[in-house]
């Protein structure tokens, strides 16, 4: 508010100075006109002379000390009273410059004394070519001071009113909305999960409204993330509890399955090692989940793993789920080895093969899944190709995001997210290479056996 008053007063100074100068000029012109009127009495007399008493009265009426009206080079009308003081300064106001006017006005106003001044001007209505009058400066200065004071008071009133209006406008348009935003942010900080605390943009100032909208967006996203995080935490707790009891059930099953190895039935004896291996994997997984007690996968325990036998194991275990018209096969060089955690690699490949199986089975067509591998520089690339219907469009963008990529009834959308995370933990990548009506190919790249670099 003080700033506004200051600025408006400053602006008023620029108006004040010229208007005081203009006031002085008008005052002096007024005196000259009155002086010229006084000379009319002289014209009415035959010898252009009046009695000294009338001359004094005429001069007093015009508030001047003497008047000289030059009508042409020869004729002069003169009214004068006895002059006591000498003339201190003469001002010619016939064609005054703005700077001169301002300078003279300021001088009179701020350092004026009671001087006797002579004014020379142009008579009105072409009544002559010059009129000259002498007067005292004090009444002029007093009039100028009164005028200046009035202008100052008016400026002050305008400043106060402008500042008041501006203050009110800034307060209601800016300060209050900003306070509201700050209060909302504080309340939201205390309880970010409370949906009712999301700010609703209401400011009439565009910029503030944009800021409120952005804040609202931010709060909405944050609240969603918090809810998601909470859901994940609950899920983590549930997974830990399930893993705990599942491990107990599986260990009992493992004990029972141990006995199958001694079975006289050759088929049972043949599958029981696979059954035991599967059970052992499941128990390991439960234990890892419990040990780490968190959603992330434990760091892989890297070892050189021969790829072909591991892939064979995946193929035979996944073939158990596949119908007869779905062929799963592997073409892997015997010597190819990868630097990997075999348990985790098994899980990655199982997830990929399982997805392909499910896609082909759901399409109700016969099909084929092929696993191939090749070494490419420092990486071993494993390609999983199927002849399924391809990925549904809506899953493609969020394929590797937990709980988001599923387009399958009963699917959780975790399989590919887990596979991708495990691949990353190995220092590798899992990518969708191509997908379409004739099938899908995923590429899993893992750091190769360093001894075999450049081979195959
Ligand atoms: N080879 C594939 N061919 C066609 N669609 C596939 C293929 N692999 C994955 N998909 C699609 O990607 C989706 C995501 O797969 P993901 O394994 O992440 O989840 P899910 O299989 O639905 O559930 P789950 O968590 O039980 O594995 C699947 O629902 C499926 O629609
Ligand atoms: Mg899956």
């Amino acid at each position: 508010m003080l700033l506004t008053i200051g600025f408006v007063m400053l602006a008023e100074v620029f108006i004040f100075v010229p208007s005081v100068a203009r006031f002085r000029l008008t005052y002096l012109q007024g005196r000259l006109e009155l002086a010229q009127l006084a000379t009319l009495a002289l014209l009415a007399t035959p010898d252009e002379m009046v009695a000294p008493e009338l001359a004094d009265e005429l001069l007093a009426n015009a508030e001047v000390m003497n008047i000289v009206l030059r009508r042409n080079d020869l004729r002069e009308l003169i009214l004068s009273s006895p002059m006591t003081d000498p003339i201190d300064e003469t001002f010619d106001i016939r064609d005054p410059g703005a700077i001169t006017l301002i300078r003279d006005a300021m001088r009179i106003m701020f350092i004026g004394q009671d001087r006797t001044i002579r004014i020379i001007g142009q008579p009105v209505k072409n009544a002559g070519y010059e009129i000259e009058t002498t007067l005292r400066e004090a009444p002029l200065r007093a009039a100028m001071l009164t005028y200046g004071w009035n202008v100052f008071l008016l400026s002050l009133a305008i400043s106060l009113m402008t500042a008041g209006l501006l203050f009110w406008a800034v307060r209601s348009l800016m300060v209050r909305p900003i306070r509201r935003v700050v209060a909302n942010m504080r309340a939201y900080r205390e309880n970010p999960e409370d949906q009712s605390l999301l700010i609703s943009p209401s400011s009439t100032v565009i910029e503030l409204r944009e800021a409120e909208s952005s804040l609202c967006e931010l709060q909405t996203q944050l609240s969603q993330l918090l809810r998601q995080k909470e859901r994940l935490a609950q899920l983590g707790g549930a997974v830990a509890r399930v893993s705990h009891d599942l491990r107990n059930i599986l260990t009992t099953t493992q004990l029972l399955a141990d006995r199958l190895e001694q079975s006289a039935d050759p088929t049972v004896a043949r599958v029981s090692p696979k059954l035991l291996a599967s059970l052992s994997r499941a128990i390991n997984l439960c234990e890892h989940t419990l040990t780490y007690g968190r959603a992330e996968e434990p760091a892989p325990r890297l070892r050189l793993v021969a790829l072909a036998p591991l892939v064979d194991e995946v193929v035979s275990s996944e073939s158990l789920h596949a119908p007869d018209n779905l062929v799963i096969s592997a073409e892997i060089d015997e010597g190819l080895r990868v630097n990997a955690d075999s348990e985790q690699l098994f899980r990655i490949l199982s997830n990929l093969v399982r997805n392909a199986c499910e896609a082909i089975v759901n399409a109700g067509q016969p099909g084929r899944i092929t696993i191939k591998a090749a070494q490419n520089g420092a990486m071993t690339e494993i390609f999983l190709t199927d002849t399924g219907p391809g990925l549904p469009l809506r899953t493609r963008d969020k394929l590797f995001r937990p709980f988001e990529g599923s387009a399958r009834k009963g699917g959780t959308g975790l399989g590919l997210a887990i596979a991708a995370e495990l691949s990353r933990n190995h220092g590798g990548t899992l990518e969708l290479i191509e997908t379409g009506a004739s099938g899908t190919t995923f590429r899993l790249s893992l750091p190769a056996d360093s001894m075999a670099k450049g081979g195959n």
Side-chain angles (χ1 to χ4, degrees):
M1 181 146 176
L2 288 177
L3 269 181
T4 317
I5 294 177
F7 287 147
V8 177
M9 290 298 280
L10 190 69
E12 295 287 343
V13 168
F14 291 107
I15 301 169
F16 175 82
V17 173
S19 60
V20 167
R22 163 64 48 191
F23 175 83
R24 172 179 163 273
L25 182 64
T26 315
Y27 179 96
L28 294 177
Q29 278 168 345
R31 286 290 153 276
L32 285 178
E33 279 168 28
L34 283 175
Q36 192 183 335
L37 273 180
T39 59
L40 287 180
L42 294 181
L43 281 176
T45 59
D47 51 359
E48 297 186 343
M49 292 278 285
V50 290
E53 299 78 36
L54 182 57
D56 285 348
E57 200 180 330
L58 288 170
L59 287 171
N61 268 347
E63 292 176 37
V64 295
M65 292 153 78
N66 71 17
I67 305 164
V68 178
L69 176 66
R70 293 202 177 87
R71 311 206 72 188
N72 51 47
D73 287 342
L74 298 175
R75 286 186 71 205
E76 273 192 353
L77 290 177
I78 299 175
L79 265 177
S80 66
S81 59
M83 296 268 294
T84 45
D85 297 327
I87 288 168
D88 294 305
E89 193 168 353
T90 302
F91 297 102
D92 187 343
I93 60 168
R94 277 175 295 187
D95 190 17
I99 305 282
T100 318
L101 275 179
I102 289 175
R103 193 197 55 211
D104 291 344
M106 293 300 112
R107 246 178 49 212
I108 291 181
M109 203 162 167
F110 294 109
I111 47 172
Q113 311 110 16
D114 187 12
R115 302 182 300 171
T116 302
I117 52 174
R118 182 193 301 156
I119 311 296
I120 302 171
Q122 179 73 43
V124 289
K125 303 258 185 211
N126 292 327
Y129 72 88
E130 188 183 296
I131 181 162
E132 184 187 305
T133 183
T134 311
L135 49 105
R136 303 221 44 99
E137 202 180 53
L140 166 63
R141 183 161 185 260
M144 282 172 75
L145 283 175
T146 312
Y147 175 80
W149 181 243
N150 287 342
V151 170
F152 170 77
L153 287 182
L154 191 69
S155 310
L156 195 65
I158 293 175
S159 310
L160 283 173
M161 215 168 69
T162 315
L165 284 173
L166 203 67
F167 186 71
W168 172 80
V170 168
R171 226 181 128 72
S172 55
L173 290 175
M174 308 286 289
V175 178
R176 270 203 215 117
I178 289 175
R179 282 205 187 132
R180 197 175 74 90
V181 171
V182 172
N184 170 275
M185 281 160 101
R186 287 213 182 102
Y188 181 77
R189 186 186 58 194
E190 297 303 318
N191 194 0
E193 278 152 46
D194 187 348
Q195 289 290 301
S196 68
L197 294 179
L198 298 189
I199 195 164
S200 50
S202 62
S203 174
T204 42
V205 179
I206 295 175
E207 287 76 12
L208 268 178
R209 205 184 167 82
E210 277 171 9
E212 285 177 340
S213 303
S214 305
L215 181 65
C216 180
E217 244 168 65
L218 184 78
Q219 289 177 335
T220 314
Q221 281 174 7
L222 199 66
S223 297
Q224 270 170 5
L225 279 177
L226 283 172
R227 277 201 301 279
Q228 199 178 7
K229 208 172 162 196
E230 197 183 337
R231 273 207 303 273
L232 286 176
Q234 285 169 353
L235 191 72
V239 168
R241 284 192 294 277
V242 170
S243 301
H244 180 268
D245 290 359
L246 190 63
R247 183 196 54 184
N248 295 349
I249 298 167
L250 288 173
T251 10
T252 316
T253 319
Q254 197 181 31
L255 289 174
L256 295 172
D258 269 343
R259 298 199 195 145
L260 293 179
E261 272 189 312
Q262 277 91 49
S263 169
D265 184 332
T267 321
V268 175
R270 187 161 49 79
V271 296
S272 61
K274 286 183 180 159
L275 177 64
L276 281 170
S278 285
L279 282 170
S280 148
R281 251 183 233 117
I283 291 169
N284 268 341
L285 192 58
C286 291
E287 273 168 0
H288 276 313
T289 313
L290 287 172
T291 314
Y292 290 92
R294 50 187 179 158
E296 295 126 60
E297 295 290 344
R301 282 174 294 183
L302 299 177
R303 263 176 283 134
L304 276 183
V305 180
L307 194 57
L310 189 131
V311 171
D312 281 343
E313 224 181 314
V314 173
V315 169
S316 58
S317 114
E318 291 304 318
S319 296
L320 293 173
H321 306 272
D324 290 342
N325 58 2
L326 170 52
V327 182
I328 309 177
S329 62
E331 297 163 24
I332 312 277
D333 271 352
E334 280 305 321
L336 209 54
R337 294 191 296 174
V338 283
N339 207 13
D341 179 321
S342 57
E343 292 282 320
Q344 293 190 358
L345 182 53
F346 186 92
R347 283 170 62 201
I348 300 173
L349 294 173
S350 302
N351 264 309
L352 294 172
V353 174
R354 181 79 55 103
N355 277 348
C357 278
E358 282 162 354
I360 292 169
V361 170
N362 286 344
Q365 306 277 334
R368 165 174 285 279
I369 301 168
T370 319
I371 308 175
K372 292 183 180 168
Q375 187 144 347
N376 184 359
M379 306 301 273
T380 300
E381 295 179 335
I382 306 170
F383 294 90
L384 274 104
T385 307
D386 65 63
T387 56
L391 282 149
L393 266 180
R394 67 195 149 102
T395 63
R396 289 183 199 174
D397 293 339
K398 37 193 182 174
L399 205 53
F400 298 110
R401 284 198 232 146
F403 303 110
E404 290 184 33
S406 182
R408 185 170 62 76
K409 199 162 172 269
T412 59
L414 272 175
L416 283 177
I418 292 173
E421 187 185 341
L422 293 177
S423 317
R424 274 197 305 278
N425 291 354
H426 276 78
T429 52
L430 174 63
E431 292 153 288
L432 174 68
I433 296 297
E434 62 171 306
T435 185
S438 56
T440 302
T441 302
F442 280 95
R443 176 175 61 201
L444 169 66
S445 304
L446 293 176
D449 165 13
S450 51
M451 303 292 291
K453 255 181 206 167
N456 288 330

